[in-house]
Amino acid sequence: TADPVWERVNGAIFEIDGFLTPIDPLDVAETTYAKMVADPELSRFREAIDRTGLAAQLQLTGFFTFTVFAPSNAAIEASGVDLAAMDAEELTRFVNAYIVQNRIIFTDGVFNGQIANKNGDRLRIDGAWDSFRVSDASSKAVSVTAGNVQGNNGVVHKINQLF
């Protein structure tokens, strides 16, 4: 639950709906990239990742970690962005805008603040759970429609619009 069922000055207890199943840290079927492949609503973003050659990076395991704010197919279509018309450099910059490397950010609100994406541009993370938002340098905030899809090398959050 988002609200504790018991709370005192020294801590709180929250209800959970199950136990986490440990993820094999070396299983390539459990990477952030594999999680995006498994979600048909992320096929356009995943195809962009494939065209840039970044799929190999998102399949690295071990000490490599990623947070991916993956725009859904509907978000890409609604924006009018034509990914097929982008050259390799434009497409790489587009994809890198939605990836944070070497950090796993969940929607639980533990991390709030600024962090750089793979382009070096600052993203602002605010809120927790239902109020979790990520904004770009122009302060355009997007919300997460499905979050915390955990892979063995990071986490994927499906977002409802582009930066």
Side-chain angles (χ1 to χ4, degrees), residues 10-157:
N10 64 337
I13 296 175
F14 295 84
E15 289 182 345
I16 60 172
D17 61 0
F19 291 96
L20 297 175
T21 303
I23 299 174
D24 180 353
L26 300 177
D27 185 354
V28 294
E30 294 294 330
T31 63
T32 53
Y33 178 78
K35 298 298 179 179
M36 287 186 284
V37 168
D39 187 340
E41 290 182 21
L42 299 177
S43 63
R44 297 190 71 188
F45 186 65
R46 193 219 9 102
E47 288 166 3
I49 290 170
D50 291 345
R51 283 187 44 217
T52 64
L54 292 171
Q57 284 184 23
L58 294 173
Q59 294 180 76
L60 295 173
T61 58
F63 58 86
F64 299 97
T65 59
F66 306 92
T67 296
V68 181
F69 298 102
S72 66
N73 293 345
I76 293 171
E77 290 165 14
S79 73
V81 170
D82 185 0
L83 298 178
M86 290 183 180
D87 65 28
E89 187 176 321
E90 291 171 318
L91 195 59
T92 298
R93 185 145 183 79
F94 173 83
V95 169
N96 283 341
Y98 298 93
I99 299 173
V100 174
Q101 192 167 311
N102 300 323
R103 188 70 186 253
I104 300 176
I105 302 169
F106 291 101
T107 63
D108 57 7
V110 170
F111 178 83
N112 275 250
Q114 291 188 0
I115 194 160
N117 63 19
K118 280 184 58 96
N119 288 331
D121 301 326
R122 294 282 169 191
L123 298 177
R124 173 115 188 119
I125 309 296
D126 292 300
W129 305 118
D130 292 340
S131 68
F132 182 88
R133 302 285 180 271
V134 59
S135 7
D136 65 3
S138 69
S139 298
K140 180 175 183 182
V142 298
S143 53
V144 173
T145 56
N148 303 320
V149 178
Q150 189 173 358
N152 59 5
N153 66 344
V155 63
V156 177
H157 304 288

